[in-house]
Structure formats: structure tokens, C-alpha cells
Amino acid sequence: MIRPRRDFSSEKITVSDDVITYIEKKNSDFRVSTSCGGPILMPVSLKPPKNTDVQIRAGRHRIYVSMYQAPYLDTIDMALIPFYEHD
């Protein structure tokens, strides 16, 4: 059974260097949201942030994390980016 961390805090979610580089290259904020395949990182132009999202700094940009995904995430890495998004 998957259980959320009880001690959740946005400071406990790290962003990998390659995701920060990717976000800087795209020059956009991103959002981690729920998809049928699990958490997914999408530009806010495709998945706008919600006022309930947790905000995480990623270089000059922000990553908004769904309140439903945040307790389960430790790291935001390239595995969250859909394969068709890779350049």
C-alpha cells in the first residue's frame, strides 16, 4: 500500500538539476499533476496551477505540485516528463 508522508513539507521535495535545466530551456513554470499513468510534469500553459498547489522553486521558475501528489513526492526528476516532451 502506498502511504503519504505524514511530515509533508515543500522543502522536502527536491528538484533534479536536469529538470531545472529543462525548465530553464523551456522558459516556463511547470505543474506536477495527476494522470492515468501517475504524476506528470507539464508546462502551466497545458496544466494551469490551482490555488491549492504547493509551490517549489526551480531556478528562475516555479513548479506547482498538486496537493494530491505532493505528499508522495520526494524528487521531481526527468521521469515525470512525458517521453514526447524530451528534446
Side-chain angles (χ1 to χ4, degrees):
M1 173 189 269
I2 299 173
R3 295 181 188 210
R5 294 188 315 269
R6 293 177 188 263
D7 62 341
F8 170 73
S9 146
S10 63
E11 291 84 32
K12 295 193 179 199
I13 300 175
T14 60
V15 180
S16 68
D17 291 338
D18 51 348
V19 168
I20 292 172
T21 300
Y22 178 80
I23 288 172
E24 292 294 329
K25 183 178 175 186
K26 296 291 185 180
N27 196 29
S28 175
D29 291 340
F30 277 71
R31 181 170 190 257
V32 175
S33 59
T34 305
S35 76
C36 59
I40 188 169
L41 186 65
M42 300 290 287
V44 295
S45 59
L46 296 175
K47 276 293 198 185
K50 296 181 179 179
N51 58 3
T52 56
D53 288 349
V54 174
Q55 295 183 32
I56 299 172
R57 262 286 185 220
R60 296 174 302 148
H61 297 281
R62 293 192 183 275
I63 297 175
Y64 298 89
V65 181
S66 162
M67 69 179 192
Y68 299 108
Q69 289 296 329
Y72 298 96
L73 288 177
D74 292 319
T75 304
I76 297 172
D77 59 22
M78 294 299 280
L80 298 181
I81 298 174
F83 69 91
Y84 57 86
E85 282 283 315
H86 290 285
D87 287 336

